Amino acid sequence: EDKVVQSPLSLVVHEGDTVTLNCSYEVTNFRSLLWYKQEKKAPTFLFMLTSSGIEKKSGRLSSILDKKELFSILNITATQTGDSAIYLCAGIIQGAQKLVFGQGTRLTINP
Amino acid sequence: DTEVTQTPKHLVMGMTNKKSLKCEQHMGHRAMYWYKQKAKKPPELMFVYSYEKLSINESVPSRFSPECPNSSLLNLHLHALQPEDSALYLCASSHRQGTGDTQYFGPGTRLTVL
């Protein structure tokens, strides 16, 4: 059975801290891994990772995929209260375009 | 522009009502999706349309009936729902199915079934 597991499930830090969110996957016919940020409504796209070892960056956020060890991390540096959200990772099954979501990490940034 | 729109934003319906959720995108995407998300859970896939044809139905009860009238629109018709169907219903689209393209989500419709 395809499975994506995120850790931690919940994380509370102070503004300015750096956080690392983890995502491990067991997905047959794995194609890519997606990271989303979900605040009150729809998940908003952050990164798509297809190749191993290539870091993707967007401002204070960065992510990398390890296809040998079957995991990905999402780093957020100099966190701000606006980073508070649920962060979802999802594996894409090649050919089916199905997303297998992890449970999400609820990140809370305190001022 | 990576916008997917959904209407209505909120919907309250009784168990005997018939209602429809609407989703629209103008990005030229040919794959569209319906997801259901309960509180504190990740989205669960319900249906996938590829080139206006239903390609995946994740064993969804028949009280949910999807429709894709054209490449930009996706509807979800609701009839005789149960209170446990209350959830956030998300629509998403991607360039094509089966290519590993990113899915972009709409803002969702929060459905309450009384």
Side-chain angles (χ1 to χ4, degrees):
Chain A
E1 183 187 346
D2 296 318
K3 191 167 60 174
V4 174
V5 176
Q6 291 185 244
S7 64
L9 294 181
S10 180
L11 183 59
V12 181
V13 300
H14 290 291
E15 207 167 17
D17 288 351
T18 293
V19 297
T20 298
L21 310 184
N22 303 295
C23 174
S24 64
Y25 63 91
E26 293 174 25
V27 174
T28 53
N29 298 317
F30 174 84
R31 166 81 185 199
S32 304
L33 189 131
L34 302 176
W35 282 97
Y36 289 92
K37 176 182 181 182
Q38 187 171 25
E39 296 174 87
K40 291 180 182 172
K41 282 284 183 87
T44 53
F45 170 73
L46 294 176
F47 297 111
M48 182 167 89
L49 303 160
T50 304
S51 300
S52 198
I54 298 174
E55 185 183 51
K56 293 213 171 178
K57 290 194 69 144
S58 177
R60 295 176 294 103
L61 277 66
S62 64
S63 185
I64 197 162
L65 177 69
D66 185 328
K67 292 173 84 170
K68 183 180 176 187
E69 300 296 331
L70 308 183
F71 78 91
S72 174
I73 59 171
L74 175 68
N75 279 322
I76 309 176
T77 59
T79 51
Q80 302 170 358
T81 55
D83 296 326
S84 296
I86 295 172
Y87 289 83
L88 295 164
C89 76
I92 298 180
I93 298 174
Q94 184 161 345
Q97 193 66 346
K98 290 177 67 169
L99 292 186
V100 181
F101 280 95
Q103 324 92 295
T105 293
R106 181 178 292 275
L107 177 64
T108 303
I109 311 296
N110 288 327
Chain B
D1 180 16
T2 56
E3 189 179 27
V4 178
T5 59
Q6 288 187 243
T7 55
K9 292 183 181 177
H10 300 274
L11 178 62
V12 179
M13 59 187 290
M15 289 190 285
T16 58
N17 292 156
K18 284 185 182 181
K19 297 285 184 184
S20 296
L21 309 184
K22 295 186 186 303
C23 173
E24 192 166 1
Q25 57 85 18
H26 295 286
M27 296 180 277
H29 288 175
R30 302 309 297 272
M32 296 184 77
Y33 312 79
W34 280 114
Y35 288 87
K36 173 182 177 180
Q37 188 175 24
K38 302 283 273 185
K40 299 185 180 180
K41 297 284 187 183
E44 296 173 32
L45 182 66
M46 299 174 73
F47 302 104
V48 181
Y49 272 82
S50 178
Y51 291 88
E52 297 88 71
K53 288 186 169 49
L54 183 65
S55 64
I56 295 177
N57 176 340
E58 290 288 287
S59 302
V60 179
S62 60
R63 57 186 184 268
F64 295 91
S65 174
E67 179 199 18
C68 190
N70 60 56
S71 61
S72 299
L73 293 174
L74 185 66
N75 299 321
L76 185 63
H77 303 298
L78 314 173
H79 174 54
L81 293 194
Q82 304 295 311
E84 59 265 28
D85 296 322
S86 298
L88 180 67
Y89 287 84
L90 294 164
C91 172
S93 71
S94 67
H95 185 51
R96 286 171 301 172
Q97 185 187 6
T99 57
D101 292 332
T102 301
Q103 292 185 21
Y104 295 95
F105 286 83
T109 293
R110 185 151 314 272
L111 174 68
T112 303
V113 182
L114 301 176

